[in-house]
Amino acid sequence: MRISTLHPVISHTLGPSTSFVGPAITRHSQERDEHVCSTYAAIASSSDLNADESGRTIWMWKQNLSGRLDDQSQKKKTLSLQHQISSLHTCDELPTRLFALSPQSELTVFDSDLAVKNTRPAPQALQNVLKTYCFSRTRDGFWHTYRLEPKDDDSIELTSISGPFRLTGLSFISKATNSEQISLLALSSSHVLLCALTDSPAPEIALLLWDLQYSVLLASHALPIPSTLTQSKDFGLKLNLVAASTTQALLILSAPTADSGPKSGGASLQSSVLVLPFTCPETSTIANAIGRASSGAKWMAETASSSTAALPHDPARTKLLSTMRAAMAKNHGDDDGGGGDGRGAFHHFPWLGRRGPACLSLL
């Protein structure tokens, strides 16, 4: 396709001295019976801006795609922020919100008409943002796992460490209003502690320690909801995991008190804090994952793709599986009567005896 043969649907003319902070963003929306396209651009410099406005100004244009192109599309709205802008972001889950990030990670949330809704200062005084990723908080239960690693001194790389799998049996999946009934805590680069309410008539608190490198459940524990906490139809129970040490986590449970509600002002909460001791391997190994495929079956939903197509393995996993297959085949041939069960094959893997089982308990 040649660019010269394309006919623009949206076009905005700017002066030759105008430069942009980064790529512009385009959003589509339905306003009554008309299709409207909104374009947002962070301006690094322009003859239309004062020096102190450069790098922190956003321009926005709206174009009615259901009508003809006219001069109305060239009329722009302007928003000037308190901080410099390094990038603009959108999220499909929030179609009426946009995000402006500064080089020091200051964040401004504004709506489709450039009205500022919220701002967040930088968490630390001295820090610089290398790269930004914006993920949607999907509630379909699919768990996607990524790892951020430094590529060199000036950049980082985002890689998927395993294929996605779908969770089931948890309350946050079935209802969007239950989004606060789950909490995650990273224990290592591939181990995550998940805490959520079960989706059952008598819900419990499920504590699940996952190895996401191999998508297996290493340990699990179920807790009853403390009797001191009453679940409300409107507010529900809020869960929050906080790291306490390398072997302990804190689980904060919050729920409205019995006298909270519209008549009493309804802001008071009662909370409980539980200490969760755990043992977690330092790294993910095939030794810890072997034999645990069925341990997470209760919490993993079967998908159509899981039975028809296998997830691709990286070269290291492929080599490991080939070595295991060869060792088991040799062990099978060496057994008297040819009926070996393959257990002797694991003598070829000295690290198997050093596997550190994960455990999870409650104080």
Side-chain angles (χ1 to χ4, degrees):
M1 180 182 294
R2 294 183 178 180
I3 297 179
S4 59
T5 63
L6 299 178
H7 300 282
V9 177
I10 303 169
S11 177
H12 306 291
T13 302
L14 304 176
S17 60
T18 301
S19 62
F20 301 93
V21 170
I25 288 178
T26 301
R27 300 300 299 266
H28 295 83
S29 60
Q30 186 86 14
E31 298 183 4
R32 295 182 294 275
D33 295 330
E34 298 178 340
H35 294 276
V36 177
C37 181
S38 301
T39 302
Y40 305 84
I43 308 302
S45 62
S46 173
S47 58
D48 296 337
L49 296 178
N50 298 325
D52 61 337
E53 295 176 320
S54 297
R56 61 183 187 87
T57 297
I58 300 173
W59 287 351
M60 185 266 281
W61 300 265
K62 276 192 175 183
Q63 174 64 48
N64 181 6
L65 300 183
S66 302
R68 63 182 182 85
L69 291 173
D70 51 33
D71 293 337
Q72 294 296 322
S73 64
Q74 299 302 321
K75 293 184 177 181
K76 64 178 183 288
K77 294 182 67 175
T78 301
L79 171 64
S80 294
L81 303 182
Q82 298 297 319
H83 59 76
Q84 292 289 310
I85 303 171
S86 61
S87 56
L88 297 178
H89 303 273
T90 61
C91 181
D92 291 338
E93 186 182 1
L94 302 171
T96 62
R97 295 291 185 268
L98 295 95
F99 311 91
L101 192 70
S102 80
Q104 289 74 38
S105 76
E106 297 164 289
L107 179 68
T108 296
V109 181
F110 58 96
D111 66 12
S112 55
D113 290 321
L114 296 186
V116 174
K117 296 300 181 180
N118 199 0
T119 58
R120 191 198 70 177
Q124 300 177 14
L126 299 176
Q127 64 178 13
N128 291 309
V129 176
L130 295 180
K131 197 167 184 178
T132 305
Y133 303 90
C134 186
F135 296 100
S136 176
R137 298 181 305 168
T138 56
R139 295 189 179 92
D140 56 5
F142 277 97
W143 197 345
H144 299 260
T145 309
Y146 301 91
R147 178 182 292 155
L148 284 172
E149 295 179 305
K151 192 173 183 180
D152 49 50
D153 292 339
D154 299 320
S155 64
I156 56 177
E157 186 176 38
L158 179 71
T159 57
S160 176
I161 66 173
S162 65
F165 63 92
R166 188 175 185 180
L167 294 169
T168 187
L170 302 174
S171 65
F172 79 95
I173 302 172
S174 57
K175 293 182 181 179
T177 56
N178 295 342
S179 60
E180 292 183 312
Q181 295 182 357
I182 179 176
S183 183
L184 300 175
L185 178 63
L187 305 180
S188 73
S189 61
S190 55
H191 295 96
V192 173
L193 179 59
L194 182 151
C195 177
L197 289 188
T198 59
D199 188 13
S200 59
E204 295 181 307
I205 301 171
L207 299 170
L208 309 175
L209 199 162
W210 291 90
D211 182 342
L212 297 178
Q213 178 82 33
Y214 299 102
S215 302
V216 295
L217 180 65
L218 298 183
S220 63
H221 194 81
L223 301 174
I225 298 176
S227 57
T228 55
L229 300 177
T230 58
Q231 282 194 276
S232 166
K233 180 180 179 181
D234 297 326
F235 296 97
L237 188 66
K238 299 179 182 179
L239 311 180
N240 187 23
L241 281 171
V242 180
S245 68
T246 56
T247 58
Q248 287 185 338
L250 299 180
L251 173 59
I252 304 172
L253 308 173
S254 302
T257 57
D259 60 348
S260 65
K263 294 182 179 180
S264 61
S268 110
L269 291 175
Q270 182 171 338
S271 300
S272 294
V273 179
L274 305 180
V275 180
L276 306 177
F278 61 83
T279 300
C280 178
E282 294 183 1
T283 59
S284 295
T285 63
I286 191 66
N288 285 331
I290 287 177
R292 298 184 182 272
S294 60
S295 61
K298 177 182 178 180
W299 309 105
M300 299 175 68
E302 292 188 8
T303 60
S305 59
S306 63
S307 59
T308 58
L311 294 173
H313 295 288
D314 58 38
R317 296 187 195 180
T318 302
K319 181 179 179 180
L320 175 60
L321 292 174
S322 298
T323 305
M324 292 177 65
R325 186 180 297 111
M328 293 185 72
K330 182 178 183 299
N331 179 73
H332 179 81
D334 292 342
D335 285 329
D336 293 335
D341 59 5
R343 286 176 291 183
F346 293 102
H347 291 297
H348 295 273
F349 303 98
W351 38 258
L352 187 57
R354 300 194 300 268
R355 65 178 290 182
C359 65
L360 186 65
S361 57
L362 174 69
L363 288 183

